[in-house]
Amino acid sequence: MFSAFGGGSAWAAAPAAAGSGPSLAGSPVRLIVPYTPGGSSDIIARAISAPLAEALGTNVIVENKVGANGNIGADLVAKSPADGHTLLLCDVRALSISPALYKLPFDPSKNLQGVAMLAYSPHLLVVHPSVPVNTLAELIALSKKKPMTFAVTAMGSSAHLAGKLLEERTGGKWDYVPYKGGSQAINDTIAGQTDILINGMLATLPFVQAKRLKVLAVSKPTRVGLLPDVPTIADSFPGFESGTWQGVLAPAGMPAPVLAKISSELLRVIRLPAVREMLVGQGAEVSTMSAADTSKFVETERKSWQALVTRTGLKLE
C-alpha cells in the first residue's frame, strides 16, 4: 500500500523545511495512533511519517497504543511533555464523543490542543455479500424481521454513534458486536461473523472493490466520485452525515513557535501529491484546519454528540 512512499524521490517536489523555525532534532517525534494497525488513522500516520521526519529533521515513529476507543493513547499524549515530541493522530470526532460516554482520566478540551486537521473520510455502510439486501431501505426492512448483527469498530466510536444515529433516523434494529479496531470489525464482517458494518471509506473501500463487502450507502451528504452509483444515506434521510475526521493533537501548553512549525509542516505534507493521491485514491479527502480551528472542532463536536447520547440514552456497559 505504501510503496509510493519509499525513498527520498517522492518528496523532491516539496523540499523539507527542517532548517526554519525551532528545532526538534535530538530525539524522535512519537506519532501515537490509538487504534489497531490498518485503520484510517494508521494508514495516514504511516503515509506522512517519512516526509514529516524529513521536514522536522528528526525521526518520526508511529506507535499504536490501543484500547478504550482510543482513550488509552489519547491519555498517554495528554500526560506527555508539551515539547512537540509526542503527538496524537486520531479520529478527532471519536475523541469528541468520548467525554459523553466514558469517565476519562483526562479532559480533551483542557489537556489536549489541536495541531492540524488533515483529512475526512466518509463512512461506508456495508454488509456481508450473503445478506439479501441491495439498498438501505431493504436493510431497514430486513432488520425489523430478523435479528441482525452490527460490527462496531469500538464502543463509543464515531462509527458506533453513526449506527445509533441511523437507528434513530430509520427505525432500523440491530445488535452491536464490539471490536478493538476497524480492521478486526472488517475481517469479521468479511468472514460472515457479523452482518452490517459502518466504517471509514479509507479503510473499507478496498474490500468493496474486491467484492468482499457489499456497499449500500455512503454517509457523505453528496455522492463520492469513486462510487458514483452508490446513494448517500442523506438521499433518503436528509441531513445525515457521519465519517472520520483525521487530525493531530498535542499536549496542551506547547510553545507557540513549536506548535506553529509542526502545524505548518503537517498541513504541507498532507498536500504533497504522493500523499494526496494515495488518500483520494482510497476515498478520503484532504480537508485541513489550522491548530485553532481543530481545537474548536473538538468542542463543537463534543456538544453535538453529547446531545445524541442524551436523546438515545446510550450507555456503555
Side-chain angles (χ1 to χ4, degrees), residues 14-311:
S20 60
S23 174
L24 289 166
S27 59
V29 170
R30 301 169 68 199
L31 190 55
I32 305 298
V33 175
Y35 318 113
T36 54
S40 298
S41 297
D42 186 70
I43 290 171
I44 292 174
R46 296 183 190 281
I48 69 172
S49 60
L52 184 61
E54 184 177 348
L56 298 179
T58 191
N59 290 333
V60 174
I61 301 171
V62 178
E63 298 182 23
N64 297 89
K65 299 293 184 182
V66 181
N69 187 30
N71 292 319
I72 289 177
D75 182 51
L76 182 156
V77 175
K79 295 175 179 175
S80 295
D83 57 8
H85 288 278
T86 307
L87 305 172
L88 177 71
L89 197 161
C90 69
D91 178 352
V92 179
R93 175 168 277 172
L95 180 68
S96 303
I97 292 168
S98 286
L101 295 171
Y102 293 93
K103 185 177 180 180
L104 298 176
F106 68 99
D107 185 334
S109 298
K110 295 179 180 179
N111 303 130
L112 292 169
Q113 65 184 107
V115 179
M117 193 74 76
L118 303 179
Y120 166 74
S121 177
H123 286 137
L124 294 184
L125 172 63
V126 299
V127 295
H128 185 267
S130 67
V131 177
V133 301
N134 292 298
T135 67
L136 174 58
E138 291 174 354
L139 175 66
I140 300 307
L142 181 62
S143 76
K144 295 176 181 178
K145 295 178 181 178
K146 58 170 288 187
M148 302 194 74
T149 51
F150 187 112
V152 178
T153 57
M155 298 301 284
S157 65
S158 60
H160 180 201
L161 271 289
K164 294 297 293 185
L165 183 61
L166 191 62
E167 278 190 289
E168 183 183 58
R169 293 292 304 276
T170 68
K173 303 290 182 183
W174 34 72
D175 296 322
Y176 293 96
V177 180
Y179 290 89
K180 292 182 178 180
S183 57
Q184 295 175 346
I186 288 172
N187 289 339
D188 263 19
T189 308
I190 288 172
Q193 300 298 315
T194 49
D195 300 313
I196 310 165
L197 171 71
I198 285 180
N199 196 44
M201 186 170 175
L202 181 60
T204 312
L205 181 62
F207 302 101
V208 170
Q209 293 172 326
K211 301 188 184 304
R212 301 179 73 186
L213 292 170
K214 179 165 53 176
V215 61
L216 303 183
V218 61
S219 70
K220 189 181 177 185
T222 57
R223 296 193 183 197
V224 298
L226 291 174
L227 297 170
D229 298 326
V230 176
T232 71
I233 297 173
D235 288 342
S236 302
F237 301 93
F240 189 100
E241 182 273 333
S242 66
T244 67
W245 287 88
Q246 303 297 327
V248 174
L249 299 101
M254 184 186 296
V258 177
L259 175 63
K261 180 179 178 64
I262 297 175
S263 181
S264 65
E265 292 301 342
L266 281 166
L267 295 177
R268 183 185 64 82
V269 164
I270 201 67
R271 296 187 185 106
L272 290 171
V275 177
R276 181 188 289 272
E277 289 168 14
M278 185 278 287
L279 294 178
V280 171
Q282 294 189 48
E285 302 171 6
V286 173
S287 185
T288 59
M289 295 182 197
S290 68
D293 286 343
T294 302
S295 292
K296 290 177 184 177
F297 180 91
V298 171
E299 188 61 17
T300 300
E301 288 286 300
R302 183 190 65 78
K303 293 176 181 177
S304 175
W305 291 102
Q306 175 65 66
L308 175 66
V309 170
T310 300
R311 288 199 312 272

